[in-house]
Each structure stands twice: as structure tokens, then as C-alpha cells.
Amino acid sequence: MGKLIGNKKLNIAVFISGRGSNLNNLIKFSKKKKSFINLIFVVSSSKAARGLVYAKKNNIKIIIFNYKKKLTSERNVLKILNSNKIKLICLAGFMKILSIKFIRNFKGKIINIHPSLLPRYKGLNTHERVIKNNEKFTGCTVHFVNKNLDSGKIIIQKKIKIKKGDTASILSKKVLTLEHQLYPKAIKKLFASL
Ligand code: GAR
């Protein structure tokens, strides 16, 4: 990832597909006085992603990732990210699978947030499955991205107790609040380990 030299900030790109609450949270984090990240690009798998509103409001450049032409699109995105010295990609509700080639090209520099205590409950509908299985705890995880879904090395995890009466929808709200605390912490932790 390269060392931070002097006051130089780490250039990041955030990839989204939908609502963008984690994106909005990272934008706020990047604007803090002592922030060490520059959020340069928002890459979206859809023109219609609701989260793009946060990029527009904050004058952050937007790249639309056209999944109908996945490989060409990936090549273009890579080119833009590399030529703008992007050092970290944060997937935040990005619901598409990146190719092995793309991941290799950004090895160790792509991270993702997932709403479960990985390695348990990879994939979709985590909260529904957690409730159905009468779990006692849930939480969220930030991990490195590798070629397998939700499977890369864990960077940080946060756990909460599930209360009687919690539904999937209640859990999703509680876990989202945790996610907003955890993602900035994960980026900080990555820095500390450089
Ligand atoms: C978040 O809960 C995130 O953890 C999840 O999608 C939601 C996006 O919300 N990601 C995954 O499930 C990836 N496997 P947001 O668009 O409001 O940030």
C-alpha cells in the first residue's frame, strides 16, 4: 500500500451499488480535520444507485461500472484508478463480483464491509438467516477481498447481542450503525499496520 509520507493523504475509491449510507459515512470521515484519506472516486455498478447523490453533493468524481461489458469496464476503471494514484478500494454495498484479474491488479488493496460475523453468513439476506437460526450474536466485518465471496482475511469485526424481539429489519438497522463505526476504524487499523 505504500507508506504515508509527511502529510500526504491516502487516495481512496469507494465502490457502491445502492443506498450508499457507508459511502456517506466515509465522506464525512474524509472531511474530518485530522483525516488521512482523500475520497477521490465513487465507482457505481449502476447509474441509478441512490448513493450517487452523496458523491454529487460533495463534488466527488463518479465512474459508472458497466457490468454488461464487465472486462472492458474493469480495464477502464483500473486505468483511471491507477493513473490517479488510488491506493485503496473500499467496497461499500457493492453487489457485483470483481474478476480475479482486477483483484490481482489491486492485490491487498481492496477491502469490503459485510453485515455478519464472517466467516459465518456469507452472501445475501444475512439478517434473515441469523434470525431464523436463533443466533445469540451478530455483527459486521471488514475484510480483504479475494477471489471468493466474503472470504478474504478479516481486518476487524464488531459483535452485538441479539435481543428478544429483534427482527431481521431491526437487526439490519442496528448492524448498519455498527458498520458506520467499523469502516473508518478498519481503515485506521490498516494504516497503523503499514
Ligand atoms: C451494508 O449493510 C453492507 O454491509 C452490505 O450492503 C449494505 C450496503 O448499505 N454489503 C454486503 O452485503 C456485501 N456482501 P449502504 O449502501 O447503505 O452502505
Side-chain angles (χ1 to χ4, degrees):
M1 198 174 292
K3 296 239 179 216
L4 254 193
I5 303 159
N7 288 327
K8 224 169 155 224
K9 292 188 178 187
L10 180 78
N11 292 338
I12 74 164
V14 179
F15 283 34
I16 64 165
S17 294
R19 177 180 55 187
S21 74
N22 276 289
L23 164 66
N24 189 30
N25 184 56
L26 289 176
I27 293 173
K28 285 186 190 152
F29 177 60
S30 75
K31 287 183 158 179
K32 286 198 170 157
K33 243 191 186 165
K34 285 188 181 160
S35 165
F36 47 80
I37 60 167
N38 253 339
L39 207 166
I40 309 277
F41 290 108
V42 172
V43 179
S44 174
S45 61
S46 153
K47 290 200 279 229
R50 273 191 289 151
L52 287 176
V53 70
Y54 302 116
K56 287 177 190 151
K57 236 194 250 167
N58 291 281
N59 289 318
I60 299 170
K61 287 175 222 133
I62 293 170
I63 306 172
I64 303 298
F65 204 134
N66 179 2
Y67 257 80
K68 288 197 185 112
K69 294 180 185 159
K70 181 173 171 177
L71 293 181
T72 321
S73 234
E74 279 193 342
R75 229 177 292 134
N76 289 339
V77 172
L78 253 183
K79 221 192 215 165
I80 299 173
L81 299 189
N82 280 326
S83 62
N84 284 278
K85 302 196 164 40
I86 299 300
K87 301 293 183 210
L88 183 70
I89 293 176
C90 299
L91 307 187
F94 185 68
M95 297 315 211
K96 301 283 184 186
I97 309 277
L98 295 164
S99 75
I100 297 175
K101 200 170 171 203
F102 187 93
I103 294 169
R104 264 201 215 122
N105 267 292
F106 245 87
K107 202 160 183 249
K109 297 185 230 169
I110 310 178
I111 61 176
N112 178 46
I113 188 150
H114 184 76
S116 80
L117 294 171
L118 290 175
R120 308 201 62 203
Y121 300 102
K122 296 172 183 172
L124 299 174
N125 306 317
T126 51
H127 307 301
E128 285 80 0
R129 288 185 282 139
V130 160
I131 291 287
K132 204 171 158 205
N133 289 344
N134 289 316
E135 295 288 354
K136 295 205 163 35
F137 294 93
T138 189
C140 53
T141 307
V142 178
H143 63 94
F144 287 106
V145 170
N146 67 10
K147 62 181 174 36
N148 300 318
L149 184 72
D150 302 326
S151 296
K153 191 175 168 222
I154 291 172
I155 299 162
I156 193 169
Q157 206 162 51
K158 203 163 168 124
K159 186 170 165 181
I160 46 162
K161 203 169 180 344
I162 298 174
K163 292 197 176 135
K164 215 176 151 206
D166 276 352
T167 59
S169 137
I170 292 173
L171 276 194
S172 91
K173 287 193 187 101
K174 286 186 179 174
V175 171
L176 194 65
T177 307
L178 280 192
E179 289 184 38
H180 295 166
Q181 297 164 12
L182 197 69
Y183 221 162
K185 268 195 193 150
I187 299 173
K188 270 187 199 156
K189 192 173 167 193
L190 275 184
F191 257 87
S193 68
L194 288 177

